[in-house]
Amino acid sequence: MGRLDNKVAIITGAAQGIGECTARLFAKEGAKVIIADLNEEKGREIAQSIGPDARFFKLNVTDYENWKACIAYTKQEFGKLNVLINNAGISYRKDIATTSVEEWDRTIAINQTGIFYGMQLAIEEMRTNGEKCSIANASSIEGLVAESAFFAYCAAKGAVTLMTKAAALYCGENRLSIRVNSVHPGYIITPMAYDDARQNGQTIEEYSKEFIGKHPIGYLGKPEDIAYGYVYLSSDEAEFVSGTSLAIDGCYTAQ
Ligand code: NAD
């Protein structure tokens, strides 16, 4: 028996990194998964390698109509929607003095507005399906504490922390069978970390050495550390967990 048997999940940003790992783990735990990402080539490859329990859908999370089509496709392929993992995200290593208007707009559109669109449309779909449903949103340690080097990212991830709680309250107050939580990863080695290292003018080894120092546990995270958090929050094991901010961060925010 899998921890996610009979669940149908959309996972955004699942063509690499934490999202890919989450999609693979969800399928292993019995879920049917929609790999929803802009990257068609990698997304299709991953869906194919998972097998009949996975499909790819080309989703741009900043496009409301595209989200509607994604949810319709999920119902067409797997009959329902129980779980949404709002994982897609981007980051710029830019402080308030150097963030361009374009970088600000793009960060807010993908990391914040995309999550609003996904949550609103998923709740509309889930509220009538009569099953236990769950939404988990990717925030960050930078949605709990600030870092000057990630100005727009902090703005969006901080918003996700409270958007999550407001949506969780709405679902509770209206007695909907939908739980909503956020996940706050510390530094996780994914393609995003490689990109961040590049923006910081470092090799991944130099980058890891520098940022391990900020994690009192003494090491950085791996995608599985976060994926297991999503499995827990999406399973019925967590049926009393809603409106929470789950930090998976090697003590980063405990200081
Ligand atoms: P990643 O860059 O490795 O993967 C992100 C995925 O999102 C990619 O497949 C990309 O194609 C997709 N994506 C980007 N824009 C999109 C859009 N508009 N529509 C649909 N898909 C889009 O990132 P990751 O490191 O796996 O991070 C995943 C999430 O976790 C992000 O929200 C990130 O902010 C958050 N997070 C990551 C870390 C970390 O250290 N890696 C730390 C804290 C939070």
Side-chain angles (χ1 to χ4, degrees):
M1 246 191 46
R3 294 168 71 189
L4 298 173
D5 281 348
N6 299 317
K7 304 277 190 202
V8 175
I10 295 175
I11 303 173
T12 71
Q16 64 182 35
I18 293 168
E20 174 185 352
C21 182
T22 303
R24 292 190 187 282
L25 192 56
F26 268 45
K28 219 163 112 187
E29 290 293 345
K32 299 200 181 335
V33 292
I34 301 287
I35 314 273
D37 202 293
L38 273 178
N39 188 334
E40 188 158 7
E41 197 185 328
K42 284 188 72 186
R44 282 199 190 285
E45 219 176 271
I46 290 160
Q48 217 162 29
S49 79
I50 292 175
D53 287 341
R55 301 280 188 281
F56 171 75
F57 185 89
K58 187 171 181 182
L59 173 68
N60 181 349
V61 296
T62 67
D63 181 336
Y64 197 75
E65 292 305 312
N66 202 199
W67 262 112
K68 285 186 184 168
C70 180
I71 291 172
Y73 177 74
T74 306
K75 284 184 72 184
Q76 173 200 301
E77 292 300 303
F78 294 133
K80 59 179 183 170
L81 174 66
N82 302 106
V83 175
L84 172 62
I85 306 293
N86 269 316
N87 165 75
I90 58 159
S91 74
Y92 294 103
R93 180 171 280 277
K94 291 287 189 74
D95 60 25
I96 187 169
T98 54
T99 298
S100 70
V101 170
E102 291 72 25
E103 287 161 346
W104 169 268
D105 286 346
R106 185 158 182 259
T107 304
I108 300 298
I110 296 174
N111 293 9
Q112 182 180 349
T113 310
I115 288 186
F116 159 53
Y117 291 170
M119 282 204 291
Q120 184 175 74
L121 290 168
I123 288 170
E124 189 179 307
E125 173 54 37
M126 291 167 170
R127 68 189 308 149
T128 53
N129 83 357
E131 297 194 7
K132 291 176 181 170
C133 295
S134 157
I135 297 173
N137 297 321
S139 180
S140 169
I141 45 176
E142 275 120 26
L144 297 172
V145 295
E147 202 171 328
S148 60
F150 290 98
F151 178 69
Y153 190 77
C154 284
K157 295 299 189 182
V160 170
T161 304
L162 286 187
M163 285 158 62
T164 299
K165 291 183 192 296
L169 284 169
Y170 169 83
C171 292
E173 287 158 5
N174 286 281
R175 300 292 183 267
L176 306 182
S177 188
I178 307 169
R179 298 177 297 99
V180 190
N181 295 289
S182 56
V183 170
H184 304 257
Y187 280 57
I188 312 296
I189 299 300
T190 66
M192 180 182 272
Y194 277 82
D195 189 46
D196 187 30
R198 188 190 50 73
Q199 291 186 52
N200 213 21
Q202 291 174 312
T203 64
I204 194 71
E205 291 75 24
E206 291 164 343
Y207 174 89
S208 300
K209 209 169 148 196
E210 179 180 346
F211 291 108
I212 281 171
K214 290 195 169 190
H215 297 70
I217 203 166
Y219 44 86
L220 299 184
K222 49 191 189 313
E224 287 78 2
D225 297 322
I226 309 306
Y228 276 111
Y230 284 129
V231 167
Y232 168 64
L233 290 174
S234 307
S235 75
D236 296 341
E237 296 160 16
E239 70 181 358
F240 195 48
V241 183
S242 193
T244 206
S245 311
L246 177 60
I248 306 178
D249 68 353
C251 292
Y252 189 108
T253 53
Q255 302 169 86

